[in-house]
Amino acid sequence: MSAHASSATRRRGALAALFLALFAATQALLWYAYYGRGAKALIGDEQHYQASAQAILAGGDWMPSAIWPPLQPLLLAATYALAGPHLLAVQLVQTLLLIACAALLRDLWRRLGGSVAAANTAAALFLLNPAIAAYAQWLWPEIPHLALLLAALCLLARAASAWRAFAAGACVGLAILAKSLLSAFWPLFLLVFVRRERPYLAWRPAALCVLGLALVTAPALVHGWRSYGRPMIADSSVYNLWVGLTDRWRSDYVEDMGGATLPAYLASGATPAERNAVYLAKVRALVAERGLVATLGEQLGRQYFRLFSAKTLLVSQLPGAACAGHLSVYRTPPWLTRTLTFANAFFHALLLAAAAFGLACWRRRPDRLAVVVALFLAYQLALFALIHVKARFLVPMLPFLCGFAGSFLAALRARLFNAQPSVIAAATPPALELTPPRFALGALLAALLLFLAFAGPALDHLCAA
């Protein structure tokens, strides 16, 4: 082995050891924060998922709500049935899913054109960010949904075989059963089956993909047909649109109206169609009163502050002022509150800034899978311009932000620490082009994202006397 190869091996070993130490430290802090002074209280949708899981175990309806999709309560109930009614068991299952998400992200980013270093960095950013890792300890469906979404994309990247196309469709269907936001997007996954050399849809794998999706969603659709007269899984779109249009602040959990509005929404009609008709009329009246242009202007001036906010769901639950959107359900000592708040802000800023530069420097010609990912990100951004937004709704986009950030940081490291131009050219991911114009564009995009992340509370004058 040459001296250069031996040195590279030692560097990789040192980086792996550093990652493992940081990951262990992150997990230790989060577990101590959750249980150190008594378990964190369940809040919001966590309470619904827990109650639904307990009702299922007691013989109740497996799909009791038209608001919340059924997969998360079913996952909780299955875990409790196997391991007993212990929250810790769910947290361990979701921690394994968190690690699986990182592995799937690494594989996906390699297929999208990132180097090994870029893919490794993306996975590390995903696992070390406490605001992401903490989701494994909560009962929201973000981690199971994300694991299914990434699994579907990885399978679609290899969809030449029939069983992979079928499995990808099944994963998409299960992801919809976890979070219904994919309901309007899923047909675009079929774009991966379009053949570039002769533009037509490869019908056999596409049909198998649709079949896989249909089989896993059919029980829920039949349940919706029997209960409400139409095939549906969960539909809170009009409710979320109304709450999104009536939100006032650039930070979530500040005078939050989501939970307060829900009882009135549920009482407005006997079926989802009736309730949606009532609230769609309210939406139209509100837009007519404000004006379409003014309404869009207000939404754009608020929604993306909420989406990219550095006050993540982790920070929102830490001790702090209620007027700033802190729920104070964690019982962390001051030193741990400060440590987690700082780590959250550091990783959030690093992720957004590096992702902005990675996106600006990206030069690889997109293939079909990359087009689907780009459309998915555009779909999410368009959707959250209107509907009710909480910081946790950024989670489905976080793996891709980690990917762009990982590509940029890997390329920057190669540029800074390899002196020979030939070595730099070989080490720099071919998907990126580090040029002054692209750096300038990245700086502008990074400044915008960081402004959205940190400026909201100051613009709203939260907690002002």
Side-chain angles (χ1 to χ4, degrees), residues 53 56-57 73-90 93:
I56 291 170
L57 288 175
L74 290 171
L75 175 63
L76 299 184
T79 305
Y80 294 152
L82 293 172
H86 307 296
L87 180 62
L88 180 61
V90 174
V93 168

Side-chain angles (χ1 to χ4, degrees), residues 20-308:
L20 290 174
L22 291 174
F23 179 67
T26 301
Q27 288 293 308
L29 289 174
L30 290 173
W31 284 102
Y32 180 73
Y34 200 103
Y35 286 111
R37 293 189 171 183
K40 179 192 82 69
L42 302 181
I43 61 169
D45 291 352
E46 285 187 297
Q47 297 169 331
H48 163 78
Y49 294 127
Q50 178 77 337
S52 296
Q54 292 169 342
I56 291 170
L57 288 175
D61 190 350
W62 67 276
M63 193 173 170
S65 172
I67 299 293
W68 292 276
L71 185 65
Q72 187 69 0
L74 290 171
L75 175 63
L76 299 184
T79 305
Y80 294 152
L82 293 172
H86 307 296
L87 180 62
L88 180 61
V90 174
Q91 294 172 321
L92 292 175
V93 168
Q94 293 197 149
T95 298
L96 293 177
L97 288 176
L98 175 78
I99 296 171
C101 285
L104 290 167
L105 169 59
R106 183 185 183 279
D107 179 70
L108 178 64
W109 208 251
R110 287 288 291 125
R111 295 184 176 278
L112 287 171
S115 66
V116 172
N120 289 342
T121 305
L125 287 171
F126 183 86
L127 288 175
L128 296 181
N129 189 331
I132 299 175
Y135 278 98
Q137 298 177 352
W138 305 329
L139 299 188
W140 280 280
E142 264 64 17
I143 294 300
H145 171 78
L146 201 56
L148 291 164
L149 173 63
L150 292 172
L153 289 171
C154 287
L155 287 165
L156 288 171
R158 305 181 178 93
S161 70
W163 77 265
R164 288 193 181 111
F166 178 85
C171 286
V172 172
L174 290 171
I176 292 172
L177 293 176
K179 288 177 69 71
S180 57
L181 287 179
L182 278 180
S183 298
F185 181 82
W186 73 262
L188 294 179
F189 285 113
L190 300 180
L191 290 176
V192 300
F193 301 111
V194 174
R195 295 294 173 253
R196 178 176 296 172
E197 58 275 8
R198 285 185 293 172
Y200 68 95
L201 189 68
W203 69 268
R204 186 168 181 266
L208 287 169
C209 182
V210 174
L211 177 62
L213 186 150
L215 286 178
V216 300
T217 56
L221 293 172
V222 171
H223 183 282
W225 182 276
R226 290 176 174 173
S227 301
Y228 310 114
R230 65 188 181 95
M232 59 170 288
I233 297 172
D235 184 8
S236 59
S237 56
V238 177
Y239 161 74
N240 277 313
L241 176 60
W242 170 254
V243 178
L245 292 173
T246 55
D247 278 329
R248 295 175 54 200
W249 306 102
R250 294 179 177 89
S251 298
D252 57 10
Y253 296 109
V254 179
E255 298 180 9
D256 186 75
M257 296 303 295
T261 305
L262 184 58
Y265 171 78
L266 293 175
S268 66
T271 65
E274 292 177 3
R275 294 191 286 265
N276 285 346
V278 170
Y279 271 77
L280 194 56
K282 291 164 69 75
V283 166
R284 288 170 176 159
L286 181 65
V287 173
E289 177 186 343
R290 292 179 178 175
L292 180 59
V293 175
T295 300
L296 290 175
E298 290 181 14
Q299 294 300 105
L300 293 176
R302 179 180 60 246
Q303 298 296 87
Y304 295 121
F305 285 95
R306 296 172 67 96
L307 183 63
F308 291 101

